[in-house]
Amino acid sequence: MRIICPLCGERGAEEFVYHGDATVRRPHPDSSAETWNAYVHLRDNPAGRHSELWYHAAGCHAWLVVERDVRTHEIFAVTLAQDVALARRPVTA
Amino acid sequence: MSTASETFPREIAAPAAAVSTRPAQPFRLAEAAGVDRKNLLDFTFDGQRYSGHSGDTLASALLASGVRLVGRSFKYHRPRGILSAGPEEPNAIVELRDGARREPNTRATVAELFQGLTATSQNRWPSLRFDVMGVNQFVAPILAAGFYYKTFMWPASFWEKVYEPLIRRAAGLGRASGSHDPDHYEKTTTHCDVLVIGAGPAGLMAALAAVRAGARVVLCEEDFLLGGRLLSERRMIGNRSALEWLREAEAELRAAPECRILRRTSVFGVFDGAYGAVERVGDHLPVPPMFQPRQRLWRIIAKRHVLCAGSLERPLVFGDNDRPGVMLAGAVRTYVNRFGVAPGRRAVVFANNDDAARTVADLAAAGVAVAALVDARAEVTPEISRIAEAAGAKLLAGARITETRGRLALRGAVVTDAAGTRHNFDCDLLAMSGGWSPTVHLTSHHGGKPVWSEAKAAFLPPSHLPPGMAVAGAATGDPLLADCLASGAQAGAEAARLAGFQTSLPAIPETDGESAELQPLWRVRGGKGKAFVDFQNDVAASDVALAQREGFRAVEHLKRYTTLGMATDQGKTSNVNGLALMAEFNERTIAQTGTTTFRPPYTPVSVGVLAGRHRGHEFRPTRLTPTHDWATEQGAVFVETGPWLRAQYFPRPGEADWLVTATREARAVREAVGLCDVSTLGKIDIQGPDAAVLLDRVYANNFASLPIGRVRYGVMLREDGFVMDDGTTARLAGDRFLMTTTTANAVSVSRHLDFCSQWLWPELDVQMISVTEQWAQIAVAGPRSRAVIEGVVDAGFDISNAAFPYMSCAELTICGGLKARLFRISFSGELAYELAVPARYGDALMRRLMEIGKPLGVTPYGIEALGVLRVEKGHPAGNELSGQTTAADIGLGRMMSKTKDFIGKAMAQRAGLTATDRPVLVGIRPWDRAARLRAGAHFLARNVENLAANDEGYVTSVAYSPALGHWIGLGLLQRGTERLGEVVRAYDPVRGGDLEVEIVSPVLVDPTGDRLRG
């Protein structure tokens, strides 16, 4: 599998470390135990297109959001995780 | 000449008298397209000397020498000869070479001959000609499909000890050498615009088209010559022979600067975004060339891929179709035309198609008598009649071969014609053709299912191909040479265009006429002998029928039950025939029956080449500490800790074992001063206005309050509430911290920090990078450590206890201007420092500290002594930070801040993690002080049964404490903090220990911490 790192270009998947689902959001500290349990343990396993976090461990150390079809390994988009995270939440402490 | 078959072995056995001369090659012909007759090579097969030429395969050289019998079949031990001339070979499976280079299960048809090659037949005892297990063929009825499932069922305990070893011996293939492979293997990656797989007519045209467009091309050919079937046929391209055209095409490709031609290279798999290929760099040589590997694994990354894998001929299924001398018709042409070898003196050709008539013509042209052309079709074209007539072959249309004769070699065949009349032919060669199956394997490596074409009687590539792949040539199901040249050119040009090049279609040369018309014949009915479908696995038509009767009707069940299509050839010659028979027995179509899934590898790949250089000590990189050379000089014993080699202990002459040494080293630290390289601990430089904020969120305890110039011990949790790692972090400036991690977690903590700062809290203005590799760090520990440090720090730096107290840090210079960092931290519990310098000065610093410390009794200590010192102090380490312990479990519960959010805070409050009966950290000492403790022993109360239900925890770490004079340990014990003073048992059923131990505080040496603050 080849992943196009936004910083380094196209690289083999062996340079990257897989983390998992990029759709889950870390809950507010005061959230219920159920919410925390869901964040830490519960994951959807869609057969098809998925949004995942990968880490360019043998490259620039950027965390990436990779849009991938988990059945075919086709990759649709790769974005810096920091950009995705900044875009979806206001800058707060 | 009449049947010569039984005389072949006598012919080759004869020249024993002439030892000095080379053995004759009685079946070598005058003309050969692909061998160099001037270059003679000697080789042996089963100890017998033979000769061949460069350009031969082992198979062609054996045939030239008159050797027909080359192996015994897998199950019935039937005599077998060479069936094919390529990678599909199911019979001629041999061991190559001797000693450590012995390689079992190698196909003689692709083994390139070299001077001195030794080859040995397999699966026979005591000899190939007389094989005791040959009796199996007479008890064949009980050895039918699934026989071992039925026969060796009871008693179950016999399976592993009795049945399986027996079966393995009886049905063995080759023998592994049992020695280390003396050769090495390597891996490499290449990129190109167009990858062309196969250098037959289609592949050559595809490569030419792409190269002419300016594309960077990689052309892979599994054979050692380019040309594919062109080498095997007598054809015309344009106005010249196909061989001449081939020479010109090859010359053009060789001259092209952007074309890499990889011969002897099998593309074995299509993976995601890359093709896997094995280049056999040294397989055709006695030993690989200097500085070259035996084989090289290629990972080929190409924008577009053109598969020109050709096709494989199918055998016909008739009684006793496996005798040595029965060969595929196309392979016969390969031996005659390419290798200049007559595979027999008198042939019968049996086919269901027009293509096989070429075999009649080529045999006749080479002077081999063709007794008959047996065509299963009721009517044949005038062209075929003409060829048969010209060859002097009797043409029998609408006829079948129903029997063959001969034992160790073919002697004759019986043909039953349409009227039912039997014709007896003497022959030593039976060329058969059931049509050609496109080599679609790689097309379905991404899950696409090959599609059955009734018109072509073949599985064609799926419509859903691996991304970027196009198929050309005979692999498409259109095998005619003209079509191959055209589709190759078209696919090559299109691939280059899609890769971004301007292309035009090259001119397609004319070819001589041909026909590939065929009428399927899946089996010959009515014969008495076993009609083999899968030669390698001894699966006969009757076994397919049996599987059908017993309910194993799906193709995948058929494969598993009968083993059809398994083993080294993966059914290359047998799959389609087997499926067709199952379809017939099920009264369904082949399209309905479907095919099994093709998976990588296409042909066998040695494990060695997949491992490449990663074997033995090179399995993974070894990281050496900056003081490794110094430690080696000191006679250190090293141990692997993660990827590092660290000094475990420094034995002195006369010390009986590691324990004596480690005890001495630990005592030296408590009583004088010791030095230990601690560079392997992870070091992460964290900078930015929000550095303290980030630390507060990843550590359970507070770091924003840490003053500049101070160090704090921190513990970090995983988000699930368990402890992730611990270590000290120093504040070098308001916006700059230096974090240390455990050696084991250096990489994962660094990744975690990036995750937190980039993904969880992207708004934080903070940057970090690992500097583990950049800094050498040496622990200077013991009551005299300050004196040692004083000897290196430059004037002006005050290291008095008042100026530089416990948990201080500073950037300073030492040894006259060398920049350094000094930390007053202690893992040993003694007055101690850690001194860091740029890594390249680590060795020099260690030597300087040793020199300065000499009068103070300085002692280097390894990680065994380090472990003793930390157990004495009750510091948790890897055994306690097991991923299953909470901060509270290891006595750090109070470090968890109540006033801020941090990773793991919420989940650490879970009921299961806060339960009061969780095992928690305690110290232990044996009730009998002379007793030795063992880590891993389980805690049981004194008067309970030895049951898992009574388990209360376990011993995590033990050490012999020089300070206390007896063994001590750490452990995790349920409600341990309430049980100080209690005596429990450390029960160790694995090693037979059952000791009474006293529960004590984990901190057994200097519990008030006076020494480290002194």
Side-chain angles (χ1 to χ4, degrees):
Chain A
M1 205 160 75
R2 311 277 298 166
I3 295 175
I4 300 174
C5 172
L7 302 179
C8 306
E10 183 182 319
R11 300 298 170 98
E14 63 276 9
E15 289 189 7
F16 299 82
V17 172
Y18 178 75
H19 180 81
D21 195 343
T23 64
V24 292
R25 301 275 301 271
R26 189 172 190 268
H28 188 273
D30 301 331
S31 302
S32 68
E34 288 72 26
T35 304
W36 275 102
N37 179 51
Y39 168 67
V40 171
H41 294 126
L42 304 183
R43 294 291 181 271
D44 289 333
N45 185 19
R49 193 165 168 148
H50 198 25
S51 185
E52 303 170 324
L53 283 162
W54 290 73
Y55 180 62
H56 198 180
C60 59
H61 285 197
W63 279 93
L64 307 173
V65 175
V66 177
E67 298 289 329
R68 184 174 72 110
D69 189 316
V70 299
R71 293 170 306 183
T72 64
H73 299 179
E74 184 180 357
I75 291 172
F76 306 100
V78 184
T79 320
L80 287 178
Q82 187 155 18
D83 291 348
V84 174
L86 283 170
R88 75 182 187 191
R89 56 193 282 170
V91 178
T92 56
Chain B
M1 84 181 264
S2 64
T3 67
S5 52
E6 289 287 78
T7 66
F8 296 152
R10 282 197 287 277
E11 273 184 38
I12 52 105
V19 172
S20 58
T21 59
R22 284 206 161 89
Q25 299 178 38
F27 289 83
R28 187 69 70 175
L29 301 168
E31 299 282 328
V35 299
D36 178 2
R37 296 290 299 273
K38 291 191 287 294
N39 194 357
L40 271 158
L41 302 173
D42 304 296
F43 71 101
T44 66
F45 179 61
D46 280 348
Q48 178 80 40
R49 291 174 59 240
Y50 298 102
S51 73
H53 299 288
S54 59
D56 264 328
T57 61
L58 175 61
S60 67
L62 286 170
L63 287 170
S65 302
V67 178
R68 295 292 176 273
L69 175 65
V70 295
R72 288 279 179 164
S73 73
F74 186 66
K75 197 158 74 175
Y76 302 125
H77 290 250
R78 286 170 67 110
R80 289 283 167 82
I82 293 157
L83 181 76
S84 75
E88 69 271 34
E89 178 61 33
N91 288 342
I93 307 296
V94 297
E95 290 173 359
L96 293 185
R97 307 166 195 255
D98 286 326
R101 286 196 170 86
R102 188 170 70 203
E103 189 182 0
N105 309 332
T106 306
R107 293 149 294 160
T109 50
V110 295
E112 206 173 331
L113 198 67
F114 58 80
Q115 175 62 31
L117 173 67
T118 56
T120 312
S121 60
Q122 301 184 166
N123 203 31
R124 82 289 185 274
W125 185 84
S127 75
L128 194 52
R129 300 200 65 203
F130 179 76
D131 176 12
V132 167
M133 295 300 281
V135 297
N136 279 5
Q137 54 195 297
F138 305 112
V139 294
I142 67 154
L143 294 177
F147 81 96
Y148 43 80
Y149 303 130
K150 297 164 183 165
T151 312
F152 302 109
M153 286 178 63
W154 184 90
S157 60
F158 268 39
W159 179 251
E160 261 183 49
K161 292 198 175 89
V162 182
Y163 297 145
E164 189 178 330
L166 274 176
I167 292 169
R168 288 207 183 281
R169 202 174 309 150
L173 286 170
R175 303 161 299 160
S177 77
S179 311
H180 285 286
D181 189 336
D183 296 326
H184 64 262
Y185 299 80
E186 68 180 27
K187 306 185 201 184
T188 190
T189 301
T190 192
H191 297 254
C192 63
D193 298 307
V194 179
L195 167 66
V196 179
I197 301 162
L204 289 168
M205 280 304 276
L208 286 170
V211 159
R212 286 173 189 170
R216 177 175 293 187
V217 173
V218 171
L219 173 62
C220 292
E221 170 53 55
E222 66 181 351
D223 204 331
F224 49 92
L225 295 181
L226 303 190
R229 286 300 301 174
L230 295 179
L231 298 165
S232 301
E233 311 285 3
R234 297 181 301 145
R235 300 300 306 270
M236 298 293 285
I237 296 180
N239 296 321
R240 53 213 193 286
S241 80
L243 293 173
E244 236 169 285
W245 181 87
L246 165 62
R247 267 191 292 276
E248 284 170 26
E250 186 171 346
E252 181 179 343
L253 292 172
R254 280 187 192 288
E258 292 284 28
C259 182
R260 186 199 289 274
I261 300 173
L262 294 173
R263 292 182 301 153
R264 302 185 178 95
T265 302
S266 302
V267 177
F268 63 82
V270 188
F271 302 95
D272 294 301
Y275 282 67
V278 171
E279 181 185 8
R280 288 172 294 277
V281 181
D283 278 12
H284 63 295
L285 301 167
V287 294
M290 188 94 87
F291 308 121
Q292 287 292 316
R294 171 78 180 271
Q295 297 180 346
R296 181 180 289 129
L297 183 74
W298 285 87
R299 183 199 308 247
I300 304 172
I301 296 143
K303 290 183 185 140
R304 311 296 303 183
H305 337 114
V306 185
L307 179 71
C308 305
S311 54
L312 296 170
E313 199 167 23
R314 297 193 288 255
L316 287 166
V317 180
F318 55 93
D320 293 324
N321 60 345
D322 66 328
R323 297 200 195 282
V326 181
M327 192 181 280
L328 293 168
V332 169
R333 300 203 292 279
T334 302
Y335 288 116
V336 169
N337 296 324
R338 173 175 174 177
F339 296 107
V341 172
R345 299 286 191 217
R346 185 177 167 85
V348 168
V349 178
F350 178 28
N352 64 349
N353 59 67
D354 289 356
D355 183 65
R358 293 188 174 282
T359 305
V360 176
D362 291 0
L363 282 170
V368 177
V370 183
L373 170 57
V374 182
D375 199 312
R377 298 170 297 179
E379 286 181 21
V380 297
T381 62
E383 173 68 6
I384 288 179
S385 305
R386 194 192 60 72
I387 290 171
E389 194 179 335
K394 187 175 171 70
L395 175 63
L396 290 144
R400 315 269 194 273
I401 289 182
T402 46
E403 281 177 47
T404 66
R405 288 183 281 114
R407 198 175 66 83
L408 299 179
L410 181 72
R411 297 179 61 187
V414 175
V415 180
T416 305
D417 68 17
T421 308
R422 287 160 58 91
H423 305 258
N424 222 318
F425 291 95
D426 285 348
C427 60
D428 59 3
L429 173 65
L430 202 172
M432 60 177 171
S433 176
W436 294 75
S437 296
T439 307
V440 297
H441 301 66
L442 295 181
T443 66
S444 50
H445 279 185
H446 274 215
K449 286 278 182 193
V451 183
W452 178 254
S453 162
E454 203 64 41
K456 291 174 177 163
F459 279 103
L460 305 183
S463 54
H464 177 72
L465 291 170
M469 180 189 278
V471 187
T476 63
D478 293 322
L480 301 185
L481 178 56
D483 294 340
C484 288
L485 294 170
S487 68
Q490 207 274 333
E494 179 66 3
R497 190 185 69 77
L498 292 167
F501 294 86
Q502 288 211 325
T503 57
S504 58
L505 202 60
I508 315 290
E510 298 273 309
T511 64
D512 51 337
E514 61 186 320
S515 164
E517 287 304 309
L518 137 162
Q519 190 179 315
L521 172 69
W522 300 120
R523 64 172 171 138
V524 173
R525 294 161 196 250
K528 280 196 297 260
K530 271 200 171 300
F532 284 94
V533 178
D534 184 328
F535 294 81
Q536 188 162 58
N537 290 296
D538 268 352
V539 180
S542 54
D543 292 314
V544 180
L546 180 68
Q548 194 273 342
R549 285 200 304 278
E550 298 190 340
F552 297 94
R553 293 170 188 176
V555 288
E556 302 289 356
H557 288 153
L558 170 68
K559 175 172 177 172
R560 272 77 188 172
Y561 194 58
T562 64
T563 69
L564 179 104
M566 293 192 179
T568 61
D569 70 345
Q570 286 288 295
K572 288 184 177 59
T573 56
S574 63
N575 264 339
V576 175
N577 285 341
L579 303 174
L581 291 184
M582 182 53 84
E584 179 197 324
F585 298 140
N586 279 335
E587 296 177 353
R588 304 180 74 193
T589 64
I590 295 173
Q592 287 170 325
T593 302
T595 179
T596 52
T597 309
F598 294 115
R599 295 190 181 87
Y602 168 64
T603 44
V605 176
S606 64
V607 173
V609 77
L610 294 175
R613 304 266 179 179
H614 299 274
R615 51 188 269 195
H617 282 298
E618 280 78 47
F619 179 70
R620 62 177 181 187
T622 302
R623 300 176 75 177
L624 301 180
T625 64
T627 62
H628 184 82
D629 290 346
W630 166 84
T632 306
E633 289 168 25
Q634 301 293 313
V637 173
F638 294 95
V639 64
E640 288 182 23
T641 56
W644 295 91
L645 268 189
R646 295 186 72 180
Q648 189 178 8
Y649 55 99
F650 296 81
R652 284 184 183 166
E655 289 179 340
D657 60 14
W658 67 271
L659 185 55
V660 174
T661 305
T663 301
R664 169 182 53 77
E665 290 172 8
R667 183 175 286 129
V669 173
R670 294 261 179 256
E671 294 172 1
V673 60
L675 301 177
C676 183
D677 188 325
V678 293
S679 308
T680 63
L681 271 75
K683 312 177 199 78
I684 302 170
D685 194 333
I686 304 166
Q687 301 184 34
D690 293 326
V693 180
L694 179 71
L695 287 174
D696 260 0
R697 293 184 187 175
V698 297
Y699 274 128
N701 49 323
N702 200 306
F703 274 81
S705 60
L706 180 67
I708 295 165
R710 300 290 293 169
V711 184
R712 184 168 289 171
Y713 173 76
V715 61
M716 60 178 73
L717 309 186
R718 304 189 308 226
E719 195 71 280
D720 66 2
F722 290 98
V723 173
M724 178 180 183
D725 199 54
D726 71 343
T728 56
T729 289
R731 191 165 203 168
L732 301 175
D735 59 355
R736 185 166 191 195
F737 292 82
L738 189 69
M739 175 188 283
T740 63
T741 73
T742 61
T743 300
N745 290 330
V747 171
S748 55
V749 169
S750 175
R751 181 164 71 227
H752 178 64
L753 294 185
D754 282 330
F755 181 82
C756 293
S757 68
Q758 294 174 33
W759 178 244
L760 295 182
W761 301 296
E763 68 281 4
L764 294 185
D765 188 356
V766 56
Q767 301 294 328
M768 68 219 64
I769 194 160
S770 165
V771 293
T772 307
E773 200 82 345
Q774 282 68 31
W775 290 85
Q777 194 149 316
I778 296 170
V780 184
R784 296 176 193 161
S785 58
R786 186 175 288 126
V788 175
I789 294 295
E790 267 168 355
V792 289
V793 298
D794 286 345
F797 188 83
D798 184 358
I799 63 158
S800 69
N801 198 33
F804 199 71
Y806 179 57
M807 290 304 226
S808 297
C809 69
E811 293 179 285
L812 71 168
T813 61
I814 63 168
C815 303
L818 174 62
K819 73 170 177 178
R821 291 167 178 168
L822 185 64
F823 310 89
R824 190 168 159 196
I825 53 178
S826 176
F827 199 44
S828 59
E830 297 300 319
L831 168 68
Y833 300 84
E834 289 186 14
L835 185 54
V837 291
R840 63 187 182 281
Y841 294 104
D843 181 82
L845 177 63
M846 181 62 95
R847 291 174 198 274
R848 178 70 63 89
L849 293 171
M850 285 293 287
E851 199 182 303
I852 292 166
K854 204 169 180 185
L856 302 164
V858 73
T859 301
Y861 65 102
I863 62 169
E864 288 295 342
L866 190 80
V868 170
L869 297 165
R870 73 99 188 167
V871 172
E872 287 179 332
K873 289 295 292 181
H875 290 313
N879 294 1
E880 289 76 32
L881 305 174
S882 63
Q884 297 176 312
T885 46
T886 66
D889 293 344
I890 53 172
L892 306 175
R894 279 178 302 173
M895 287 177 67
M896 291 197 289
S897 170
K898 291 185 168 54
T899 59
K900 58 159 188 160
D901 179 29
F902 58 89
I903 296 275
K905 182 179 189 179
M907 292 297 270
Q909 312 306 318
R910 286 188 279 169
L913 270 63
T914 51
T916 52
D917 62 348
R918 287 185 63 83
V920 295
L921 189 70
V922 293
I924 55 168
R925 59 185 178 206
W927 190 250
D928 168 9
R929 293 286 194 271
R932 178 172 185 166
L933 295 173
R934 297 275 187 194
H938 280 251
F939 291 128
L940 294 174
R942 290 166 89 176
N943 301 314
V944 299
E945 273 193 88
N946 300 334
L947 297 173
N950 295 325
D951 189 5
E952 294 192 282
Y954 67 101
V955 180
T956 53
S957 303
V958 299
Y960 175 79
S961 167
L964 301 170
H966 59 79
W967 284 83
I968 57 171
L970 297 173
L972 294 163
L973 174 68
Q974 284 178 357
R975 296 176 291 100
T977 35
E978 305 162 16
R979 298 168 70 173
L980 298 185
E982 192 180 322
V983 175
V984 299
R985 288 154 55 209
Y987 177 59
D988 184 5
V990 177
R991 286 161 296 195
D994 192 353
L995 277 180
E996 291 192 328
V997 296
E998 186 184 353
I999 305 305
V1000 292
S1001 158
V1003 190
L1004 291 173
V1005 169
D1006 187 29
T1008 52
D1010 298 336
R1011 290 171 169 219
L1012 58 88
R1013 293 188 175 82

